[in-house]
Amino acid sequence: MSESRFEPVISAEACKGCLICVNVCGKKGGGVLEESDERTPMGGVLPTVDGECIGCRWCERVCPDFAISIEEAEAC
Ligand code: SF4
Ligand code: SF4
């Protein structure tokens, strides 16, 4: 049986670096979003992914700028 895999995709152009997504992922999601060393064009902290996203989509729901989306693909 194949499983779905979820990949968080973050738009560096749209993200302001507020880290709301990192917070909600840690509290209600899989805890896979983290602060990176990169800065957004607006001077915030760009999130990064470390670990396996569970596809709960809380980050999508809370991002004020629609800067993060979860892509789904069938894994072999
Ligand atoms: S909630 Fe949205 S704008 Fe804020 S850091 Fe996450 S992706 Fe960027
Ligand atoms: S979908 Fe859930 S587990 Fe995946 S990055 Fe977003 S909040 Fe975290």
Side-chain angles (χ1 to χ4, degrees):
M1 192 170 76
S2 65
E3 293 177 13
S4 292
R5 293 184 62 88
F6 301 97
E7 183 186 357
V9 178
I10 302 161
S11 165
E13 290 75 29
C15 173
K16 65 174 175 276
C18 63
L19 300 178
I20 291 172
C21 58
V22 173
N23 194 24
V24 79
C25 185
K27 288 187 173 154
K28 293 180 177 282
V32 298
L33 291 179
E34 294 183 352
E35 297 181 31
S36 76
D37 295 331
E38 287 183 64
R39 293 293 177 268
T40 70
M42 283 180 261
V45 179
L46 191 68
T48 189
V49 183
D50 183 14
E52 191 151 343
C53 170
I54 62 174
C56 65
R57 298 182 188 270
W58 269 105
C59 54
E60 270 186 346
R61 284 179 217 151
V62 300
C63 176
D65 300 280
F66 305 103
I68 183 165
S69 58
I70 304 303
E71 294 192 354
E72 195 172 341
E74 289 288 315
C76 304

